[in-house]
Amino acid sequence: MTVRITFHGHACFSIESAAARLLFDPYLTGNAMADVKPEDVQADYILISHAHHDHLGDAVPIARRTGAAVVSNAEIARYMTEQGLQAYGWHVGGARQFPFGKVKLTIAHHGSTFADGRDGGTACGFLIWLEDKVIYFAGDTALTVDMTLYSAEHIDVAMLPIGDYFTMGPEDAVRAVQFLQPKSALLMHYNTSALIAQDAQAVAAHIAIATTARPVILKPGESMTP
Ligand code: NI
Ligand code: MN
């Protein structure tokens, strides 16, 4: 089976491979772009980049219904364990091998407080080795020079926020693509609220001119293969 990435709006994606179905940052309730309901989405693992509501989202009910295991930082994993859910949590810089592949938590310059004010640990992104593909999910982050290090992993697809305000904006996203040198740059975290309204087509055009990557814009419900 080829790896397939499906967008659900904001920073929510499904990635299907032969071994597992991964769901990223399952913000569906309240996500103006969501194409799927939390009671219908399928997952074996739910990867959560940080505790903000637009990333933690519907993770608890989805994990409870599907039996999916949560993968995140140690604090969010502890929170999930307290809810009676299966969770794997560790820290930025470390990696863990799963039956489907390897997951490394990467640096994300961002907050991670839960809605109730409790500490959500350190925000992260993910580097994922899945079948013969390398996927980088940046999470919510500022542009960081650490991205130049990740280029050594020969990334097939980099999922990058372009919304500005809460994360890097269009110009820094183009620089991130220059740093990461992925084969494809998949845009996320825009147009779900007025504060992060962006012209994704213009960002894609800039990426096409300024980098060697293939820019990818998915409408919610659309998929790509790396
Ligand atoms: Ni956030
Ligand atoms: Mn966010």
Side-chain angles (χ1 to χ4, degrees):
M1 183 181 178
T2 31
V3 170
R4 197 162 70 118
I5 304 174
T6 304
F7 188 42
H8 302 302
H10 205 61
C12 184
F13 292 88
S14 298
I15 302 185
E16 295 162 90
S17 71
R21 296 163 298 184
L22 314 184
L23 179 65
F24 291 71
D25 285 356
Y27 168 55
L28 297 171
T29 302
N31 172 356
M33 290 173 74
D35 66 301
V36 65
K37 290 188 166 64
E39 52 271 31
D40 295 328
V41 73
Q42 295 301 325
D44 301 305
Y45 295 88
I46 302 172
L47 288 79
I48 302 171
S49 64
H50 63 292
H52 291 164
H53 80 281
D54 59 318
H55 297 265
L56 188 69
D58 302 292
V60 170
I62 295 169
R64 212 179 289 291
R65 176 178 58 80
T66 61
V70 169
V71 176
S72 190
N73 68 30
E75 290 78 7
I76 292 171
R78 188 183 313 126
Y79 170 83
M80 292 297 170
T81 305
E82 286 166 6
Q83 309 290 314
L85 301 167
Q86 190 187 359
Y88 303 93
W90 62 101
H91 285 281
V92 167
R96 192 179 199 288
Q97 191 71 44
F98 289 91
F100 63 81
K102 188 170 79 168
V103 178
K104 185 175 191 177
L105 304 192
T106 58
I107 290 164
H109 291 292
H110 195 71
S112 180
T113 308
F114 282 92
D116 64 3
R118 99 163 82 172
D119 176 23
T122 304
C124 70
F126 302 102
L127 262 172
I128 299 154
W129 289 262
L130 196 61
E131 297 185 6
D132 59 343
K133 303 299 180 191
V134 182
I135 294 164
Y136 171 61
F137 177 88
D140 279 9
T141 184
L143 179 68
T144 163
V145 76
D146 300 279
M147 290 171 177
T148 58
L149 301 174
Y150 306 149
S151 68
E153 308 300 341
H154 304 288
I155 295 166
D156 289 287
V157 182
M159 293 136 92
L160 300 170
I162 63 162
D164 215 338
Y165 200 82
F166 303 106
T167 68
M168 56 187 173
E171 287 178 9
D172 282 349
V174 174
R175 295 179 72 197
V177 178
Q178 291 170 336
F179 287 175
L180 292 158
Q181 297 174 34
K183 289 196 185 76
S184 300
L186 176 51
L187 310 185
M188 66 174 182
H189 211 274
Y190 63 94
N191 288 2
T192 36
S193 75
L195 282 172
I196 57 172
Q198 295 295 343
D199 181 349
Q201 296 292 346
V203 179
H206 193 177
I207 289 170
I209 291 166
T211 81
T212 56
R214 170 178 70 123
V216 182
I217 297 168
L218 295 178
K219 294 194 185 81
E222 287 184 344
S223 301
M224 68 166 289
T225 50

